[in-house]
Amino acid sequence: MKLLQISSAQGPEECTLAVSKALERLIQEAQRLSVVVDILEEERGSRAGTLRSVLVVIHGENEQQLFECWNGTIKWICESPWRKGIGRKNWFIGVAQFEPMQEIVESEIRFETLKASGPGGQHVNKTESAVRITHVASGISIKVQSERSQYANRRLARLLLGHRLQQYQNIHQAEIKAERRLFHHKIERGNAVRTFVGMKFIPQN
């Protein structure tokens, strides 16, 4: 199970479109590898269908193979769909993995099991596989129900809690720079791990 962020960094609107297209391509490639992709957080761009950043978790037997294909700078070669004749055709976004910043002490968290909520019908999980994890000191609480087994939801909940605690500490300690925020400023141009071409986001390598 890996936590990944796809970010447009400080790039223009074209980069937010690239993030959206990269997410679609990532999901397609994950399906071919039998890897599950769950979208955890989205920051939408200013235009419809665009994303400034998206946080996903990938898990499955081939998750490392998928991760290695995407980790790093992504280059998109395409004319801007909005600004004709500007000359620029290369847009860069980034993909990075994030791990919990610190070990979570067992005595500092509380788990609750509950039934998954959602629309009615046969697809709703009627067993108590959903999990709510609470960090007692900070009061941060997260509910996870994306997986069908309680064990998998507990594992994902721990991962998400570590991520949220990292964000919490970065907000309350100005001297600690959030890795996710820094990532927006350090996408490496010109050294892409993947290159995609055109509005159909066709892989070039």
Side-chain angles (χ1 to χ4, degrees):
M1 188 176 291
K2 295 181 181 298
L3 194 63
L4 303 179
Q5 183 187 22
I6 309 174
S7 174
S8 65
Q10 301 301 307
E13 290 179 325
E14 290 81 0
C15 293
T16 66
L17 180 58
V19 170
S20 180
K21 290 184 176 294
L23 176 61
E24 293 176 2
R25 177 66 62 174
L26 174 67
I27 292 172
Q28 290 172 8
E29 294 184 2
Q31 289 174 341
R32 289 197 291 268
L33 292 171
S34 298
V35 174
V36 176
V37 178
D38 289 320
I39 299 172
L40 305 178
E41 295 176 359
E42 291 182 344
E43 182 182 348
R44 298 193 176 277
S46 58
R47 291 182 181 267
T50 65
L51 292 170
R52 185 150 296 281
S53 70
V54 59
L55 185 69
V56 303
V57 61
I58 63 172
H59 46 105
E61 186 176 341
N62 297 312
E63 65 184 45
Q64 183 64 27
Q65 180 182 345
L66 181 66
F67 165 70
E68 290 174 355
C69 290
W70 284 90
N71 186 37
T73 299
I74 305 298
K75 179 180 179 181
W76 181 35
I77 304 173
C78 186
E79 291 186 2
S80 170
W82 305 303
R83 298 183 290 168
K84 302 299 182 182
I86 64 169
R88 179 177 173 181
K89 295 182 180 180
N90 295 335
W91 316 100
F92 295 91
I93 62 174
V95 180
Q97 179 183 8
F98 291 90
E99 298 287 354
M101 187 173 64
Q102 60 182 17
E103 287 293 325
I104 301 174
V105 180
E106 191 71 27
S107 60
E108 295 177 349
I109 59 175
R110 183 175 67 247
F111 274 108
E112 300 172 75
T113 59
L114 55 158
K115 290 182 179 180
S117 60
Q122 62 180 350
H123 299 296
V124 175
N125 189 356
K126 299 299 196 302
T127 63
E128 292 193 347
S129 61
V131 168
R132 178 180 287 115
I133 186 172
T134 302
H135 186 251
V136 178
S138 66
I140 295 174
S141 181
I142 301 168
K143 179 183 176 182
V144 177
Q145 61 178 37
S146 58
E147 301 304 311
R148 296 194 64 82
S149 77
Q150 186 183 124
Y151 173 79
N153 281 328
R154 286 173 69 97
R155 185 181 175 199
L156 180 54
R158 278 181 169 276
L159 188 65
L160 279 174
L161 179 61
H163 180 69
R164 293 285 176 84
L165 284 173
Q166 179 178 337
Q167 291 181 312
Y168 178 84
Q169 289 187 356
N170 289 336
I171 290 172
H172 290 81
Q173 298 180 35
E175 71 276 9
I176 299 177
K177 300 298 182 181
E179 185 180 5
R180 285 188 64 194
R181 293 300 180 188
L182 282 177
F183 176 56
H184 289 305
H185 298 277
K186 65 181 183 183
I187 289 178
E188 184 179 359
R189 267 63 174 178
N191 190 24
V193 297
R194 299 284 298 274
T195 299
F196 297 87
V197 179
M199 292 300 293
K200 292 186 178 180
F201 215 69
I202 299 171
Q204 194 177 64
N205 57 354

